């Protein structure tokens, strides 16, 4: 958990202590009814969050070379295979994907790919 705190602190340049964060892995109840209710509220939580960091082992364990590989990895990730996590990501104002050596803001990735596509045409 300490490494997640370090990642969050970097986003906000926390110098006066740890930045608070919420993680679905630890904060979602296991009991089915409570879990379903929490999942229904998750998009609201993501929408209110300043930044949403995706930590998926199929992503943060790999080093990426370029934007196209990055997008391909995201599309085939475990994170993209679960509807509720994709819905959370769609609700986020600022979605950031953690890879092994860097983190990429999804909006920047899409803009980069759009720019490349425009230059090709």
């Amino acid at each position: 958990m300490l490494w997640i705190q370090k990642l969050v602190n970097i986003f906000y340049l926390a110098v006066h202590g740890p930045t608070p964060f919420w993680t679905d892995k630890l904060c979602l109840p296991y009991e089915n009814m409570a879990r379903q209710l929490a999942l229904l509220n998750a998009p609201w939580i993501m929408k209110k969050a300043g930044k949403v960091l995706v930590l998926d082992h199929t992503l943060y364990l790999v080093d990426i070379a370029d934007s196209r590989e990055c997008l391909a990895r995201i599309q085939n990730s475990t994170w993209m295979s679960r509807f509720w996590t994709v819905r959370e990501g769609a609700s986020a104002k600022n979605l950031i994907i953690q890879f092994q050596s860097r983190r990429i803001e999804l909006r920047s990735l899409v803009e980069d790919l759009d720019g490349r596509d425009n230059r090709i045409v």
Side-chain angles (χ1 to χ4, degrees):
M1 195 56 146
L2 183 59
W3 69 279
I4 296 174
Q5 184 66 66
K6 288 179 181 180
L7 289 172
V8 172
N9 289 348
I10 290 169
F11 289 138
Y12 291 98
L13 303 174
V15 291
H16 301 295
T19 301
F21 68 94
W22 182 88
T23 175
D24 58 10
K25 192 74 163 179
L26 299 175
C27 296
L28 285 175
Y30 285 104
E31 194 274 318
N32 194 35
M33 292 292 286
R35 185 176 185 84
Q36 293 305 315
L37 182 60
L39 288 173
L40 285 172
N41 289 315
W44 179 84
I45 294 168
M46 296 304 126
K47 191 174 189 174
K48 296 295 183 183
K51 299 175 191 297
V52 174
L53 176 63
V54 174
L55 294 174
D56 182 290
H57 72 282
T58 60
L59 300 172
Y60 70 74
L61 293 178
V62 297
D63 205 5
I64 51 162
D66 59 29
S67 297
R68 291 188 191 279
E69 179 188 1
C70 179
L71 187 58
R73 295 275 186 175
I74 293 168
Q75 287 174 327
N76 294 302
S77 69
T78 304
W79 179 74
M80 284 290 289
S81 70
R82 294 183 305 269
F83 174 74
W84 65 272
T85 55
V86 173
R87 189 179 67 173
E88 286 178 354
S91 301
K93 292 180 221 168
N94 191 358
L95 184 72
I96 301 161
I97 315 287
Q98 179 69 49
F99 287 93
Q100 187 178 54
S101 61
R102 63 184 171 145
R103 59 194 77 66
I104 297 178
E105 185 180 358
L106 187 60
R107 183 178 354 188
S108 298
L109 174 64
V110 171
E111 288 171 359
D112 181 47
L113 290 171
D114 281 347
R116 286 184 184 178
D117 290 343
N118 290 336
R119 284 193 298 266
I120 292 171
V121 172

